Amino acid sequence: MALTIVKQYSVFLLNEPGTLKNFAELFVREQVDIIAMAQDVRYDAAVVRVAVQHDKGISHALTKAGFTSVKTDAICLDMPNRLGILRDIGAVLSAHDINITTIYGTSVAGGITRWIVVVNDITKALNVLESSGLFES
């Protein structure tokens, strides 16, 4: 069970064969591990959101390679998977007037769930989530 701050890069890509492969190769070359990713495609363009724990200068590498990106702090929540966890995260944050601007994640039945959450007030959200009891076994 973990609650950490990670870096999220929102990157604009063309929606063409090979674009995502070339983009991912940049992270391999820079030795930056992608811990979560979501992609939203609209016609000929896509926005890819990539979460990394240690960015090691990937921002500079993205710019040098010609990618337009926006870097944001995000919260990474790793916890045991259970029914209702997404509802509970939303309830805790909304009860404290914290807006979720981006969220994506995955889970495996009986395993661990990982959620990447971008909010309007990350400091407040961390404090609220840490004291919420969501991370108790």
Side-chain angles (χ1 to χ4, degrees):
M1 295 179 285
L3 174 70
T4 58
I5 295 177
V6 297
K7 300 298 179 193
Q8 174 189 271
Y9 290 88
S10 298
V11 184
F12 305 95
L13 301 178
L14 292 176
N15 184 21
E16 299 176 341
T19 301
L20 186 61
K21 177 194 76 73
N22 294 336
F23 173 72
E25 283 178 353
L26 178 64
F27 285 80
V28 173
R29 278 195 310 272
E30 296 297 319
Q31 298 184 337
V32 175
D33 188 27
I34 297 172
I35 63 167
M37 187 178 115
Q39 178 175 313
D40 183 23
V41 176
R42 299 278 193 241
Y43 308 108
D44 63 346
V47 175
V48 176
R49 289 179 176 82
V50 177
V52 298
Q53 286 183 328
H54 307 289
D55 58 350
K56 298 181 186 177
I58 192 68
S59 183
H60 176 70
L62 286 166
T63 301
K64 186 175 176 183
F67 293 105
T68 300
S69 65
V70 176
K71 181 178 173 180
T72 309
D73 285 334
I75 300 170
C76 179
L77 298 104
D78 290 328
M79 59 183 58
N81 184 35
R82 64 171 171 74
L83 182 64
I85 192 66
L86 181 57
R87 177 208 56 207
D88 295 346
I89 293 167
V92 166
L93 295 174
S94 67
H96 292 86
D97 202 31
I98 299 168
N99 187 42
I100 297 171
T101 59
T102 305
I103 187 166
Y104 49 100
T106 190
S107 61
V108 179
I112 297 293
T113 185
R114 169 172 283 167
W115 292 98
I116 304 297
V117 185
V118 179
V119 295
N120 64 324
D121 187 337
I122 196 166
T123 303
K124 184 177 178 183
L126 285 169
N127 291 332
V128 165
L129 288 166
E130 286 174 345
S131 64
S132 69
L134 287 177
F135 296 93
E136 295 174 4
S137 302

